[in-house]
Amino acid sequence: MPQPHELSAQELLSAYRNKTLSPVEATRSVLDHIERWEPHIRATYALDPEQALTQARASEARWMKGEPQVCGGYTLDGVPATIKENIATRGVPVPLGTAATDLTPATADAPPAARMREAGAVVLGKTTMPDYGMLSSGLSSFHELTRNPWDVTKNPGGSSAGAGAAAAAGYGPLHIGTDIGGSVRLPAAWCGIATLKPSLGRIPIDPPFMGRCAGPMTRTITDAALMMGVLSQPDVRDHMSLPFQDFDWLNLTQDVRGLRIGLLLDAGCGLPLDPEIRQAVEAAARLFEAAGAIVTPMNPWMTPDMLDGVDRFWRTRSAIDLGALPEARRAKILPFIRTWAESGGGQSGEAVFRSYYDTLNVRAKTVAACAPYDYVLSPVAPVVAYNAEWAAPTNDVATTMHHIGYTLPYNMSEQPAASVNCGYTRAGLPIGLQIAGARFDDLGVLRVAHAWERMRPAQHPWPQPPGAA
């Protein structure tokens, strides 16, 4: 029989309704499992078992009365969850992954955290990230090195490093990450889990920024959809949020027959595509074709200059942020990130505006390229999980963004994009399939991703803590 920490959110909620399992039992199971795993992968920050059990007891009392908490028609009451540490939770400092941050406790929950509490989720604590979220890595000047549960010598990806590792390791079923260039999809791909980077503004977040989204990180698309029902509820603090739409998030039925699907195997920029990843994504495309979809190869629209332009734009933004810090605090930043950011300083206004134009060009080219298709399939990344101690797949400041050619475009274009596992390398490392849709079609992307889960080959068992029987 599965242990409580192995159950999905939907399975836990069903057990609570039937009174075959209590939130307290589930939370204790998850906490015990975290204790076994955490010395090996270091995915958590501000883990608070005592407070988690207090929340679980309150949830248990609500379920005994048949009155679970509901947010927007959806409940997560008693389901263990984690939240990425850059999403504020009241009373907990927000270090942003860096030792340079002044550790002042947050005064309020940010919108995603507030919605999770309103839905009754048991918040276990926070998950780790690299300095300022600007690496696809578990490397941080503040947190201990976060590792990939599938192979602890490998990187979990980032910047939602801890969330990806936690989901794969079974730290409960629900996790929230953030994504500005691939930061939920990259760890999802390299940790073998499911995620959705929603349309910009679909999930209110504070502070908002161009391209920045929060997203669910789970083991199944159904659990991600359940979280979307909660996280997409409105919050006036996000001045970039979309008008609220009352989707039936759990209506995931989708016949892919007749869908026009583009297949992108060349990002047009960055690192070359690993042959094992190409093979897995091509196999996924063939299964969609066998199910009746119309799959058409696509030409790349990104160029090296476009990718480098967005990179320069981010470097300049980060240089300004770092320049506002006293030197004593700047000295604590991860040297790789400090070098990367400071290279963007001293730009003329004209140069900065050219970089901004590059972001707009990525947006325009991406929307135009995707317009003939209902959905686009591609790899999430050109490489699989890399060395745990490295800051980036190349470990080179000059090429630190050369693995985000498939993911970045959808942040700039504000389109939804999911990552779902589509296979494994010969060494047993997960490979991610990206499914992107038109702006605002978040539910459609989840439906196609759910259809893929039903047609894909059998998945490998989830990794277990070293030494587990």
Side-chain angles (χ1 to χ4, degrees):
M1 291 291 292
Q3 296 299 306
H5 67 261
E6 298 174 299
L7 299 178
S8 69
Q10 297 279 39
E11 289 168 331
L12 286 174
L13 291 169
S14 178
Y16 299 161
R17 290 189 187 96
N18 297 332
K19 296 184 172 52
T20 57
L21 183 69
S22 82
V24 174
E25 291 169 327
T27 300
R28 282 183 175 143
S29 175
V30 170
L31 289 170
D32 288 346
H33 191 63
I34 292 173
E35 188 175 358
R36 291 189 291 272
W37 253 122
E38 191 61 2
H40 306 286
I41 62 173
R42 301 296 184 185
T44 66
Y45 161 67
L47 183 69
D48 193 339
E50 184 176 334
Q51 180 57 33
L53 287 169
T54 297
Q55 296 171 62
R57 293 184 191 102
S59 173
E60 182 179 63
R62 291 190 292 270
W63 280 109
M64 291 300 292
K65 296 178 185 176
E67 299 175 354
Q69 283 186 200
V70 175
C71 176
Y74 298 86
T75 185
L76 303 176
D77 208 337
V79 179
T82 72
I83 298 173
K84 187 176 177 180
E85 63 102 317
N86 65 341
I87 297 173
T89 50
R90 184 168 49 86
V92 178
V94 185
L96 303 176
T98 179
T101 301
D102 180 20
L103 296 179
T104 302
T107 58
D109 287 334
R115 298 298 86 76
M116 294 293 281
R117 293 196 202 276
E118 289 163 12
V122 172
V123 178
L124 304 168
K126 311 295 282 291
T127 51
T128 60
M129 60 183 283
D131 290 54
Y132 299 109
M134 295 311 299
L135 292 175
S136 298
S137 173
L139 189 63
S140 163
S141 62
F142 180 81
H143 302 293
E144 293 187 70
L145 178 64
T146 303
R147 297 175 179 271
N148 193 319
W150 290 93
D151 180 344
V152 295
T153 71
K154 301 299 183 183
N155 207 295
S159 64
S160 305
Y171 288 21
L174 306 180
H175 310 271
I176 309 176
T178 61
D179 189 314
I180 199 171
S183 289
V184 297
R185 288 160 290 162
L186 291 160
W190 292 335
C191 292
I193 63 168
T195 191
L196 174 71
K197 181 212 77 69
S199 300
L200 183 73
R202 179 69 68 204
I203 294 176
I205 194 168
D206 183 30
F209 184 78
M210 181 176 64
R212 185 179 187 232
C213 301
M217 301 180 71
T218 59
R219 287 182 168 185
T220 69
I221 286 294
T222 302
D223 275 357
L226 176 63
M227 290 182 75
M228 287 300 298
V230 171
L231 297 174
S232 63
Q233 297 299 310
D235 194 301
V236 297
R237 289 175 287 176
D238 184 349
H239 56 79
M240 297 176 71
S241 62
L242 296 174
F244 174 70
Q245 289 183 269
D246 190 14
F247 292 121
D248 184 0
W249 288 101
L250 293 177
N251 180 6
L252 294 173
T253 302
Q254 174 73 63
D255 184 354
V256 303
R257 186 177 305 277
L259 288 181
R260 301 165 301 162
I261 294 180
L263 175 62
L264 181 69
L265 292 171
D266 180 0
C269 58
L271 297 171
L273 183 61
D274 182 295
E276 288 189 280
I277 298 176
R278 175 184 289 273
Q279 183 179 13
V281 174
E282 287 178 333
R286 288 194 295 270
L287 285 176
F288 273 99
E289 276 192 314
I294 303 164
V295 179
T296 305
M298 297 176 69
N299 293 320
W301 62 88
M302 288 287 291
T303 67
D305 286 346
M306 291 163 67
L307 178 61
D308 290 345
V310 178
D311 185 10
R312 286 194 303 273
F313 184 72
W314 285 347
R315 289 179 192 235
T316 301
R317 172 206 173 196
S318 297
I320 293 169
D321 290 344
L322 268 59
L325 298 175
E327 173 54 35
R329 287 175 60 185
R330 281 201 302 273
K332 297 179 180 179
I333 296 170
L334 192 73
F336 189 100
I337 283 294
R338 183 170 179 180
T339 301
W340 172 82
E342 290 180 346
S343 70
Q347 303 291 314
S348 69
E350 184 175 317
V352 173
F353 218 81
R354 284 200 188 101
S355 297
Y356 175 65
Y357 275 144
D358 283 320
T359 69
L360 298 182
N361 192 30
V362 172
R363 177 191 180 103
K365 296 288 189 183
T366 303
V367 172
C370 295
Y373 307 101
D374 298 310
Y375 302 96
V376 173
L377 304 181
S378 76
V380 175
V383 295
V384 294
Y386 58 97
N387 294 348
E389 292 81 6
W390 284 14
T394 63
N395 209 31
D396 178 3
V397 172
T399 57
T400 188
M401 299 298 173
H402 280 209
H403 59 290
I404 64 171
Y406 294 103
T407 53
L408 169 70
Y410 302 114
N411 292 84
M412 299 300 101
S413 69
E414 305 182 12
Q415 294 170 243
S419 172
V420 197
N421 183 261
C422 70
Y424 306 86
T425 66
R426 287 185 294 274
L429 294 174
I431 297 170
L433 174 70
Q434 182 170 242
I435 303 170
R439 192 178 178 211
F440 311 131
D441 189 20
D442 304 73
L443 181 54
V445 169
L446 287 174
R447 285 173 170 167
V448 174
H450 183 59
W452 166 246
E453 284 185 329
R454 297 198 308 275
M455 71 174 78
R456 69 185 175 185
Q459 298 292 282
H460 289 189
W462 292 103
Q464 295 299 316

